[in-house]
Amino acid sequence: MPKKRVIAIDRSNKEWKEKIISSIIIATATVSSLLLLAMLLFILKESWPVWSQIGISSFLSGASWRPLGSPPQIGILSMIVSTLWVAGGALLIATPLGFACAIFLAEFAPPLLAAVLRPVVNILTGIPSVVYGFLGAAVLVKFFEVKFDLASGESLFAASLILAIMVIPFIVTNSEAALRSVPLEYRYAAMALGVSRQHLAMKILVPLARKGMLGALALAFGRSMGETMAVLMLAGNILRLPMSWFAKGEPLPALIALELGSTTPGSLHYQALFAAGLVLVLMVMTVNLGINILLYRLQKGGHTI
Amino acid sequence: MKKLVHLTVLLIALLVLGLFAGCSSNEPGGENNAAAKEDFSIKIGGSSTLAPIIAQCADQFTEEYKTWDKVDANLSEEPIVIFVSTGGSGFGLKSALDGTFDFGMVSKTLKDEEKEQFADGTITQIGSDVLVIGVNADNPVAQVKPDMSTEDLVAIFSGQVKNWKEVDPSLPDRPIVVAVRDLGGGASEVFDNAIMKGTPISDQALQIPSMGALAGKIMDNTDTIGYVSSGLVNQNPDKIIPISVDGISPTLENINSGAYKVGRPLLLVSKDAPNDREQKFLDYLLSETGLKVVEEMGYIPVAR
């Protein structure tokens, strides 16, 4: 009888603890979402004069950026287009390589090779972006100038290449985790049916893991849109609207990093840079939201885990 | 497990405390201001060009003397504290006027109405930042046309002239790569005042995030023309060839006499006459050791 009572006390103690922990977690989550909201409100407040005086459409679609000219012209179309070229291009290069690498690591790699490759891929995520940018500026730019006899080697393509190397590890790690989390029953069932390893990987595991793999892509896209240092050093930073992947351009993070330091707080230039920041944040959020909606649709559509 | 819970609670408590602390320090508190009255520190803020120079001098000054009574026996035995923060020349001017800083760091030529605002205080020049128009040593323009007129330079930097052949028929048929600092920054303002005079820079010009990288671009790429801080040209005499403007080359004599115009003064401004401590630091900046720092950082120290 006494023993039972001890257990009962223990249980209520445990419940109590769980309540505390869950309320802490809820509090932390609330605080961090409030922080995000506060940040958005702050950026909106700092950039408000731009939206009210110049207007959303002419700010977004104006191709001329001369914030200090008289009269000042502030339009960020060429920066938005540059951002999309750079980030989209990086994904174009990184997606096939990243997915292939993830499938190889999860299904085909001999254990020894995987044990070596996996930490290497993980270490790649930890290299500071300024190092990548520096490497790109020292090696890639020079390479383009010499190899293709260009007057100057900076281009959106060069920035995309370096960004691709930076986001491949994200794609690999997250996609591999998604592939591994497919329940074993599917594997056993496939083996029982005697399908080949290739069929198992491509026709069974990948479709089942597509949710996680798409999530990996969303993460990679967000990261490559927001990446600053490498892009700043490689994209060339010219103010002209980029008409191709191989043109130069100035993505939004590069614009903000380049100019914010020399603005006077409260000036139109300063407010315009905040407005550009808001546009960047909203772009990244839209992509994440879009992918989430897509995933939700996919899930409703049927056969996923 | 229990430990983990304790730790989490502690962390959250710290976080919440931090948030409250953050809020309260933003409030215009009476206590803080009262404490500041007894404050012996010197606060300096403004131009990011000047900040490294002043910070370096402040470090040396503090290391050397440690307390004010060692600087001058008449001063009290307080430790020397000098704060240096950046925020741009405009911010330096504004904060020196509203009293946030004792000195504002300004790296641009002051307009007359701006000078008036500091009529009761001081405007001290400690040096100049001179921009040199430079080309790669392997570019034949260094021999063919080492002197350009302002009109030539405007044509090149605004993008009207796009090919070296158009600059001089004997030059190779290669595109000109124009490299500039971020438009709107201090250096490009100097260049605009001295050369461009409002003509917009070509939209094909590469905007390079730092002076060092701009010098590197000129050294790496034979087709590049750009403006560089004079210090960087002096450090790489065989790799960057300076171009004279309207016949005036960027030599030390021409810079000090004011004949070479592509530059800006490095100034410290204060709203009121500096107190003893502030004056001592100003004297230190203008002493041989202080001006040596100016030179080491790649700028032209003010002539003593």
Side-chain angles (χ1 to χ4, degrees), chain B residues 15-287:
Chain B
L15 199 110
V16 171
L17 265 177
L19 277 177
F20 279 118
C23 292
S24 62
S25 70
N26 278 343
E27 285 166 12
E31 278 178 337
N32 281 345
N33 283 350
K37 285 272 188 298
E38 288 293 311
D39 197 352
F40 290 110
S41 63
I42 301 181
K43 295 182 210 63
I44 305 172
S47 156
S48 55
T49 313
L50 262 158
I53 306 175
I54 304 295
Q56 171 83 29
C57 288
D59 272 357
Q60 289 182 9
F61 188 69
T62 323
E63 290 262 302
E64 197 175 330
Y65 298 109
K66 299 212 165 51
T67 51
W68 284 109
D69 61 324
K70 299 217 178 67
V71 183
D72 187 356
N74 294 331
L75 294 173
S76 61
E77 198 190 328
E78 291 289 331
I80 300 174
V81 182
I82 300 172
F83 294 109
V84 180
S85 50
T86 52
S89 290
F91 174 63
L93 278 176
K94 189 171 151 276
S95 323
L97 278 179
D98 67 20
T100 315
F101 295 125
D102 301 313
F103 287 111
M105 301 184 281
V106 182
S107 52
K108 63 170 195 173
T109 315
L110 291 183
K111 299 184 191 102
D112 282 338
E113 63 262 31
E114 285 168 334
K115 276 187 191 158
E116 253 168 51
Q117 295 175 312
F118 295 98
D120 298 336
T122 52
I123 301 175
T124 316
Q125 181 172 1
I126 63 164
S128 352
D129 176 20
V130 171
L131 296 182
V132 173
I133 290 132
V135 292
N136 187 289
D138 294 333
N139 190 331
V141 74
Q143 283 82 45
V144 178
K145 215 171 177 206
D147 174 30
M148 293 194 193
S149 68
T150 309
E151 291 78 44
D152 290 340
L153 290 171
V154 170
I156 291 175
F157 278 89
S158 67
Q160 288 161 23
V161 170
K162 290 192 168 64
N163 197 297
W164 285 110
K165 216 174 172 57
E166 295 172 57
V167 177
D168 193 286
S170 66
L171 289 172
D173 183 15
R174 303 267 307 164
I176 301 177
V177 177
V178 176
V180 297
R181 284 297 311 280
D182 46 301
L183 306 172
S188 68
E189 197 180 330
V190 168
F191 190 72
D192 185 69
N193 285 338
I195 308 277
M196 302 304 282
K197 307 250 194 281
T199 314
I201 297 270
S202 156
D203 61 4
Q204 304 244 40
L206 303 178
Q207 293 183 68
I208 314 258
S210 76
M211 264 305 169
L214 212 167
K217 186 78 199 163
I218 296 178
M219 288 190 271
D220 281 348
N221 188 309
T222 41
D223 300 319
T224 309
I225 186 167
Y227 48 75
V228 205
S229 269
S230 57
L232 284 163
V233 179
N234 297 339
Q235 284 163 24
N236 306 287
D238 304 327
K239 295 175 184 157
I240 303 177
I241 307 296
I243 299 280
S244 303
V245 182
D246 294 325
I248 299 162
S249 59
T251 57
L252 203 56
E253 297 90 73
N254 284 341
I255 291 166
N256 276 335
S257 73
Y260 187 80
K261 291 208 160 35
V262 196
R264 53 178 170 170
L266 303 176
L267 304 171
L268 280 185
V269 297
S270 66
K271 195 178 65 159
D272 309 306
N275 64 27
D276 288 351
R277 287 183 195 81
E278 289 162 10
Q279 188 58 47
K280 284 280 177 264
F281 185 60
L282 270 191
D283 292 346
Y284 182 83
L285 288 176
L286 293 172
S287 72

Side-chain angles (χ1 to χ4, degrees), chain A residues 76-196:
Chain A
I76 57 165
L77 182 66
S78 41
M79 288 82 178
I80 295 178
V81 175
S82 299
T83 310
L84 292 176
W85 270 121
V86 163
L91 273 205
L92 207 63
I93 303 169
T95 309
L97 290 173
F99 281 172
C101 188
I103 295 168
F104 176 73
L105 276 180
E107 288 304 310
F108 299 102
L112 193 68
L113 187 61
V116 176
L117 279 182
R118 210 166 284 129
V120 169
V121 168
N122 281 332
I123 287 173
L124 277 180
T125 53
I127 297 179
S129 64
V130 66
V131 173
Y132 280 113
F134 178 71
L135 262 179
V139 179
L140 261 189
V141 169
K142 198 77 194 152
F143 173 78
F144 282 127
E145 280 171 11
V146 174
K147 200 75 184 169
F148 301 103
D149 198 30
L150 296 170
S152 60
E154 289 94 347
S155 67
L156 296 176
F157 178 70
S160 285
L161 261 182
I162 289 291
L163 275 183
I165 297 175
M166 292 175 70
V167 297
I168 281 177
F170 285 86
I171 301 182
V172 172
T173 320
N174 289 307
S175 314
E176 200 202 338
L179 286 169
R180 285 185 181 278
S181 65
V182 173
L184 276 175
E185 295 91 85
Y186 288 93
R187 235 175 257 271
Y188 293 148
M191 281 176 194
L193 289 171
V195 301
S196 67

